[in-house]
Structures are given as structure tokens and as C-alpha cells.
Amino acid sequence: ADDLIELMDALGIEQVHLVGWCVAGNIAQLAALRHPRRLASLTLVCTTPTDARMRGVSQKDLEDYSDSPLLTYQMEFSNIAATGTFDV
């Protein structure tokens, strides 16, 4: 998130309309929280792991990892890899 703002600074961009999809949505949320004046708008697509249970993540897991959404995704990917339920 901070790297995004640094890039904006380097390009002389004061404010953006930011769209974040999946994990990028979590980064966009951090950018909005840390640098709210730099965003003209924020659009999030599929950033909430509402279907996390089907990927091996329980409600308790989500509560344990609520401080860091990226850790939740890392856990989901580990579960998917362990079960082999992904296409190569």
C-alpha cells in the first residue's frame, strides 16, 4: 500500500480512483486507511473471504487472522495446495 503511494508520488499523481480485486483489494483497503486523502474513490471486488469455508478456512481462523487479511489468503492457498484442489 505504501509502495503504491510512493509510485503515485514519483509520477506526480495526487489522487486516484482505486480498484482492488481479491488480494489487491486488501492492499487497496490498506492504502485507503493509511492515505485516505490520496483516493478519490475506492472500489473493492471479491475481497471478503465469504466463501473461505470451502477453501478450508473456519470462522475461528478468520477471527484469528482478522488483524492481517493477507495471512488469511496465505492460509487459504496453503490449504488449497495441501488438498490439491486447484488446476495447474
Side-chain angles (χ1 to χ4, degrees):
D2 295 329
D3 290 343
L4 172 63
I5 301 304
E6 187 176 325
L7 176 62
M8 289 171 58
D9 289 342
L11 296 173
I13 300 170
E14 185 60 32
Q15 205 175 46
V16 296
H17 297 278
L18 188 59
V19 177
W21 175 40
C22 198
V23 175
N26 291 321
I27 295 168
Q29 290 176 63
L30 288 174
L33 287 170
R34 293 178 183 172
H35 310 279
R37 292 186 180 109
R38 302 301 300 270
L39 302 183
S41 67
L42 175 63
T43 303
L44 302 174
V45 181
C46 297
T47 58
T48 305
T50 55
D51 60 338
R53 286 175 294 172
M54 65 191 284
R55 293 181 281 187
V57 179
S58 71
Q59 179 63 34
K60 181 172 177 350
D61 291 332
L62 291 175
E63 291 168 5
D64 291 344
Y65 289 94
S66 63
D67 288 337
S68 178
L70 295 178
L71 287 177
T72 302
Y73 282 104
Q74 181 181 19
M75 182 175 50
E76 289 180 45
F77 294 138
S78 296
N79 288 339
I80 291 169
T83 61
T85 56
F86 57 94
D87 294 325
V88 180

